[in-house]
Amino acid sequence: MEKKIIIAIDGHSSCGKSTMAKQLAKEIGYVYVDTGAMYRAVTLYAMQNGLYPDEGIKEEELKTAVDSKKIQISFKFNPTTGRPDTYLNGNKVEDEIRQMDVSNRVSPIAALPFVRALLTEQQQAMGKEKGIVMDGRDIGTAVFPQAEMKVFVTASAKVRAQRRYDELMGKAKTEEEKAALHFDEILKNVEERDYIDSHREVAPLRQAEDAIVLDNSDMTREEQSAWLLEKFNEIVAKC
Ligand code: DC
């Protein structure tokens, strides 16, 4: 049987990493893990429990919740959408964690060393058996520096903001929800997250030296999928 490997897909926010990673996992029969969803779930927990007021994160209290294992994150495959849904303490939170209020708060949560330590440990456990496609910011550098395949995906901030805008527009159910979406606000959020993610002290977003770079600003989904599958086949053939 073909040897199973670990595939780490890192890159900037909203560059289509998850779509590519999910598609690849499906094609090759690997498990897909969206680590951004895990940081988003911790953020939602903090928001729901009064640990993230406008003044800032209540770090001590959040750390106590983390240490006492009050934040359990899991994934369950949804046969209708064909992708895993995120659960926080047994409740499905897949839609809530994608909302703008969570997107606006997640980067400072992801910069906390105790949050990163908890999630990194869980992610390493998920990859023990290999046969996994994991997407995030630090998978090839911190979570699985030994991953056999590392891809660093990027696209211009404007292209990424437009993609996020289109995605949120597509999901908006009412005219009111659509009117609340502003491209400039989304672009600002994308740029701010890039800055925080790349400048934090622990596991900042950076390209691993041995990663293959994919700038997908001018590529279709099909072209990206084909590119990724080709790279996978090349790497597996050498393993
Ligand atoms: O990929 P995403 O937009 O859902 O990620 C949400 C946030 O979590 C983003 O600001 C970066 C952070 N993140 C991280 O720091 N490390 C990861 N492995 C994944 C996401």
Side-chain angles (χ1 to χ4, degrees):
M1 206 180 84
E2 202 174 67
K3 193 182 162 207
K4 294 221 171 206
I5 65 167
I6 293 179
I7 304 174
I9 304 199
D10 290 305
H12 292 103
S13 59
S14 305
C15 60
K17 286 189 308 292
S18 352
T19 311
M20 288 170 62
K22 230 176 287 166
Q23 173 72 23
L24 177 69
K26 202 170 156 193
E27 278 169 357
I28 62 178
Y30 275 27
V31 172
Y32 164 69
V33 178
D34 172 1
T35 62
M38 300 171 79
Y39 288 94
R40 287 170 178 271
V42 174
T43 307
L44 185 67
Y45 176 91
M47 289 163 66
Q48 287 176 339
N49 289 276
L51 305 182
Y52 204 155
D54 290 343
E55 306 84 79
I57 305 163
K58 293 190 179 169
E59 274 190 46
E60 277 306 309
E61 290 172 48
L62 183 60
K63 187 168 185 318
T64 307
V66 164
D67 290 345
S68 54
K69 303 203 177 342
K70 285 205 176 127
I71 311 179
Q72 301 290 336
I73 300 162
S74 54
F75 294 102
K76 228 183 270 174
F77 187 75
N78 179 335
T80 314
T81 59
R83 51 164 225 217
D85 284 333
T86 312
Y87 284 73
L88 170 63
N89 294 334
N91 298 313
K92 189 169 131 188
V93 292
E94 189 55 39
D95 294 333
E96 277 138 294
I97 61 167
R98 311 286 166 194
Q99 301 295 321
M100 275 301 273
D101 54 349
V102 174
S103 299
N104 287 336
R105 286 178 167 82
V106 61
S107 281
I109 290 275
L112 296 171
F114 60 88
V115 172
R116 299 208 73 82
L118 169 82
L119 298 188
T120 300
E121 194 186 308
Q122 291 183 0
Q123 290 153 12
Q124 286 169 339
M126 290 173 184
K128 258 200 172 138
E129 309 290 323
K130 299 204 175 193
I132 197 162
V133 181
M134 195 172 271
D135 89 57
R137 303 292 188 288
D138 61 339
I139 312 306
T141 52
V143 181
F144 294 120
Q146 79 285 16
E148 290 86 351
M149 175 168 169
K150 297 182 188 178
V151 182
F152 189 82
V153 194
T154 189
S156 74
K158 275 206 174 133
V159 166
R160 289 183 283 129
Q162 186 65 50
R163 288 178 185 158
R164 173 76 40 128
Y165 178 84
D166 293 343
E167 185 191 330
L168 291 170
M169 265 297 179
K171 278 187 191 158
K173 293 187 186 85
T174 62
E175 286 308 314
E176 214 180 356
E177 278 175 17
K178 285 186 186 161
L181 294 171
H182 302 288
F183 176 80
D184 288 347
E185 202 183 306
I186 293 172
L187 178 61
K188 195 167 151 248
N189 174 258
V190 164
E191 288 172 341
E192 273 172 11
R193 281 206 287 156
D194 281 358
Y195 186 85
I196 304 177
D197 294 344
S198 317
H199 290 81
R200 64 172 174 241
E201 277 186 20
V202 187
L205 167 66
R206 65 177 173 82
Q207 184 195 323
E209 273 174 22
D210 49 352
I212 355 173
V213 180
L214 173 67
D215 183 333
N216 65 11
S217 301
D218 300 311
M219 281 170 92
T220 63
R221 277 190 187 174
E222 291 73 27
E223 285 167 342
Q224 293 172 55
S225 289
W227 182 93
L228 210 52
L229 192 60
E230 191 185 312
K231 296 287 168 209
F232 168 77
N233 286 328
E234 279 170 23
I235 290 169
V236 162
K238 283 189 214 142
C239 280

